Amino acid sequence: MRVLLIVAMLLVTFAARGGEFEPFHAAGKVSGKHYEFAVTKGDIANTPVWSRDSENPALSPRRAGQIARSQLEELLPEGKAWLLREITLAQLGDDVHWLYLVTFEPPPIGHPGEKDPDFMRIIVLMNGKTTPPTITPLSR
């Protein structure tokens, strides 16, 4: 019963705020191509919320990293060798919807001496979903 009450309060609070979250974008750059990942308000609305009463989000950082790694390996043949640089938890403006940004770099990490190294930042939603990127050539 308590859980239903908390969920109902969250839904009322969210509805009253008018769904203040915004679409979210992340990018990558690999071998002269730009990768743009985007999630819509609808994508975000269909994810579990992370209430203030809950200690942990619906999806663990480790699982988000695994999901992002799978997408990276689908996008890049050499993705398996890329290094996980960071997993960032991002709040989407309504205080209950969150997502992960998972960043990878090709080895060696840190790219000593490289001016503009390749990287990939993949969005992982709290429901474990990712979105396919829009890929365009980089203008030089």
Side-chain angles (χ1 to χ4, degrees):
M1 182 64 177
R2 183 171 184 234
V3 171
L4 290 176
L5 180 61
I6 290 170
V7 169
M9 287 176 20
L10 284 172
L11 290 173
V12 168
T13 301
F14 183 69
R17 296 179 96 175
E20 295 174 9
F21 51 81
E22 292 297 321
F24 199 88
H25 299 265
K29 181 187 83 64
V30 181
S31 302
K33 294 179 184 172
H34 175 79
Y35 292 73
E36 180 77 21
F37 298 87
V39 291
T40 66
K41 289 181 179 186
D43 294 330
I44 297 165
N46 290 321
T47 64
V49 298
W50 184 18
S51 71
R52 291 180 182 217
D53 297 336
S54 180
E55 187 172 329
N56 298 306
L59 185 69
S60 74
R62 184 172 312 279
R63 183 69 186 125
Q66 293 167 342
I67 292 166
R69 167 76 65 192
S70 292
Q71 186 173 26
L72 179 71
E73 291 176 9
E74 288 176 17
L75 293 170
L76 306 175
E78 70 280 9
K80 191 172 196 121
W82 280 43
L83 305 168
L84 175 64
R85 177 65 160 178
E86 65 185 20
I87 299 175
T88 303
L89 191 56
Q91 205 272 108
L92 297 173
D94 66 354
D95 212 23
V96 294
H97 285 90
W98 297 74
L99 57 73
Y100 288 103
L101 294 169
V102 184
T103 305
F104 296 94
E105 294 178 353
I109 203 158
H111 309 278
E114 192 171 345
K115 184 177 180 182
D116 192 17
D118 287 347
F119 70 96
M120 188 70 73
R121 188 167 294 120
I122 296 173
I123 298 172
V124 180
L125 297 170
M126 283 295 161
N127 59 7
K129 294 187 179 181
T130 60
T131 58
T134 300
I135 305 169
T136 56
L138 283 171
S139 56
R140 300 224 178 224

